[in-house]
Amino acid sequence: MYLLDNLTAVTMDAERRILRDAAIAIDGPEIVAVDESSAVKKRFPGTEIVDATGMTAIPGLIDTHAHADQSLLRGLGDGMHWIPFIDDVVEPYLAKRDPAIGVLANTLSMIEMLRSGTTCFVSPNVDPRDDYALLADAIGKLGIRAVLGRYTMPDARPDSVSKARNAAKSASRIMRDWHGSADGLVSMWFGLHVPRRAGDTDHPHFYEAVANEAAALGVGITYHFCSEIEDADYIVEHYGMRPAEWSRDNHALGDNVLLINGCQMTDPEIGILADSGTHLAHSPVANMKMATGILPLTRVLATNVNVSLGTDGALNNNSYDMFAEMKTAVLLQNAINRSASAMTAATALEMATINGAKAIGRRDQLGSIELGKQADIVLLDMRQAFTAPVHDVLSNIVFAANRSTVDTVIIAGRKVVERGVVTGVDEASVIDEAKTRADELRKLIIER
Ligand SMILES: [Zn+2]
């Protein structure tokens, strides 16, 4: 047990309390007190004290759309439309890489995330060919929380109820093997493939079987939804309905479903998401870089759809930096709404923390600094030229701070970054190996 003492705590609790001269008591993986420093010290006399003078504590950031296996390709997808981007970069990479490369790419991404204050991420479309034992081992060493959306698509044969059930059941057996592994850091989800363009499979029985298996396992489903002009148009032309209607008719909405992007959504579709309790991951940096479209975020938030933030990843962001995501989310909404108050710093921080926890079904455990919650805490050192003075701490976190402000990261009570240094692996040797393997991959994929 230990106390983090002499800090400012941005709790993100229901009252959004900001406590100055505060302390946080951590026992094992849990927060057992957050209050004024003197009160906490009186309650837990003789406990080890970690002096955090000058630090601002925020809940760990939750990146709800992070393709964590793409870091070795950073910079190779610039200036590309999404279809050649998938066909000429992502697919050849997946075809050419072996499972060890996949784990190396994930490790590099996870180091970047930890150094950026991210304590939990959702990786959609995790390759079923990956070595899940190696991956869980890497996650455990680094100590980060990972929601792995295992890529799930029907096979090419015609759809039938029995085949769909068997396919979903065999997927869920693998999910069950790894769900909760690495001391509970790993969660397994279905990374569903839904039709996006001509030639994509379309098996309604399969989607229903996946929805049933996810409910039985108590896990979530995530997929890219209504992202691009072309994939939204494809659904309209092929099925005669909007993407949210297609998802509703195919058992692919609900409070255990996290949709990605939704840039092309119409107002009635936003209503369908709200009625079904479906969550949405917003990735403004990647959406702008890829010219995907602009999510009408202020209208989505006004309907009470839960919206979280995600970076997308090294190919179309080109980083896993949630500070940049928070700031960009605000700037984009203010710009398109022609209002300097269309969106606030407070809303951006909510999306990156408590809304992310809701989006992954863990609002009772993650997303805020509160009694009984998991101790996932980031200490920001705001005593720097670019973050001083602090008149408004939320403003400084979202608009002035960046990931170099991250000093210490704690996940489930364990210090996984201390004074800017990742504790679980040797960062320099991972970077060295990543450079070597990335050179080989570039020659194989791009310069072939
Ligand atoms: Zn994505």
Side-chain angles (χ1 to χ4, degrees):
M1 183 172 177
Y2 60 97
L3 309 185
L4 298 171
D5 196 21
N6 296 319
L7 47 74
T8 297
V10 178
T11 63
M12 303 307 286
D13 65 7
E15 291 86 45
R16 302 290 186 261
R17 286 181 307 154
I18 297 171
L19 307 171
R20 294 186 170 79
D21 302 318
I24 303 168
I26 297 168
D27 190 8
E30 255 182 47
I31 297 166
V32 292
V34 49
D35 206 339
E36 278 176 17
S37 170
S38 54
V40 175
K41 278 191 280 202
K42 207 163 147 191
R43 220 183 117 195
F44 298 102
T47 304
E48 179 198 351
I49 291 177
V50 177
D51 184 31
T53 300
M55 298 292 166
T56 299
I58 62 170
L61 303 175
I62 299 176
D63 184 341
T64 53
H65 174 204
H67 296 273
D69 63 343
Q70 294 183 345
S71 55
L72 299 184
L73 306 177
R74 197 190 316 268
L76 297 183
D78 292 357
M80 294 178 84
H81 181 268
W82 69 279
I83 291 176
F85 166 85
I86 289 174
D87 292 347
D88 301 339
V89 181
V90 177
E91 291 296 341
Y93 165 64
L94 293 175
K96 295 266 165 62
R97 78 167 202 222
D98 61 34
I101 295 283
V103 173
L104 176 64
N106 272 281
T107 302
L108 184 66
S109 304
M110 292 189 286
I111 290 171
E112 179 182 350
M113 290 185 212
L114 289 178
R115 296 272 314 269
S116 309
T118 295
T119 54
C120 178
F121 67 96
V122 179
S123 192
N125 301 346
V126 172
D127 196 322
R129 296 165 295 187
D130 277 348
D131 185 329
Y132 286 35
L134 279 181
L135 189 53
D137 184 56
I139 290 164
K141 272 188 191 135
L142 285 160
I144 194 168
R145 295 183 197 277
V147 178
L148 305 179
R150 184 174 180 272
Y151 188 62
T152 308
M153 74 176 295
D155 63 31
R157 294 171 300 169
D159 197 18
S160 80
V161 174
S162 63
K163 231 183 298 164
R165 276 192 195 144
N166 288 339
K169 278 207 186 307
S170 81
S172 83
R173 270 194 291 275
I174 298 163
M175 318 272 289
R176 204 177 279 127
D177 283 349
W178 298 104
H179 191 59
S181 60
D183 285 331
L185 292 172
V186 174
S187 302
M188 296 299 298
W189 274 28
F190 289 98
L192 194 63
H193 180 85
V194 303
R196 298 183 78 182
R197 52 179 164 150
D200 281 355
T201 46
D202 159 24
H203 289 185
H205 293 308
F206 182 75
Y207 307 127
E208 185 174 7
V210 168
N212 290 338
E213 284 299 325
L217 281 175
V219 304
I221 298 170
T222 188
Y223 61 96
H224 294 76
F225 164 80
C226 196
S227 300
E228 324 283 345
I229 294 162
E230 293 91 343
D231 65 12
D233 284 353
Y234 173 73
I235 297 285
V236 172
E237 283 160 21
H238 203 74
Y239 300 96
M241 61 179 78
R242 293 292 309 170
E245 296 170 318
W246 184 94
S247 291
R248 184 184 56 195
D249 290 359
N250 283 280
H251 311 274
L253 296 179
D255 69 0
N256 68 332
V257 178
L258 172 62
L259 301 179
I260 296 165
N261 289 335
C263 302
Q264 312 298 331
M265 269 196 299
T266 58
D267 284 348
E269 291 183 278
I270 297 170
I272 291 172
L273 262 58
D275 291 345
S276 58
T278 306
H279 309 271
L280 186 67
H282 176 44
S283 300
V285 173
N287 293 165
M288 292 166 78
K289 181 166 180 278
M290 300 289 284
T292 296
I294 298 172
L295 177 74
L297 177 60
T298 50
R299 296 213 302 279
V300 180
L301 290 171
T303 60
N304 289 323
V305 173
N306 179 50
V307 187
S308 54
L309 281 179
T311 56
D312 202 334
L315 264 172
N316 39 16
N317 183 304
N318 299 2
S319 77
Y320 301 87
D321 179 355
M322 286 286 284
F323 283 88
E325 218 62 47
M326 286 192 284
K327 181 167 179 172
T328 306
V330 178
L331 303 188
L332 177 57
Q333 290 307 310
N334 287 3
I336 64 165
N337 287 289
R338 297 187 173 211
S339 162
S341 59
M343 190 172 154
T344 63
T347 301
L349 188 60
E350 282 173 1
M351 289 170 69
T353 56
I354 190 69
N355 291 11
K358 289 178 195 166
I360 58 168
R362 300 192 67 181
R363 67 190 298 178
D364 295 339
Q365 298 158 318
L366 306 176
S368 60
I369 301 175
E370 284 185 81
L371 180 66
K373 281 206 172 184
Q374 290 285 296
D376 290 12
I377 296 165
V378 177
L379 299 181
L380 305 176
D381 186 353
M382 304 274 245
R383 296 167 299 179
Q384 308 194 46
F386 58 88
T387 46
V390 183
H391 295 299
D392 174 342
V393 70
L394 297 182
S395 170
N396 278 37
I397 291 167
V398 172
F399 296 128
N402 59 50
R403 54 188 172 175
S404 76
T405 323
V406 172
D407 179 88
T408 294
V409 180
I410 295 163
I411 300 177
R414 173 183 165 195
K415 296 189 193 87
V416 293
V417 177
E418 262 187 302
R419 305 278 168 211
V421 177
V422 171
T423 59
V425 298
D426 177 18
E427 183 175 338
S429 67
V430 173
I431 293 171
D432 277 350
E433 198 190 346
K435 278 189 201 156
T436 307
R437 300 290 166 219
D439 283 344
E440 294 165 6
L441 277 172
R442 192 185 61 252
K443 282 174 192 139
L444 271 176
I445 299 167
I446 309 290
E447 297 162 7
R448 64 203 148 114

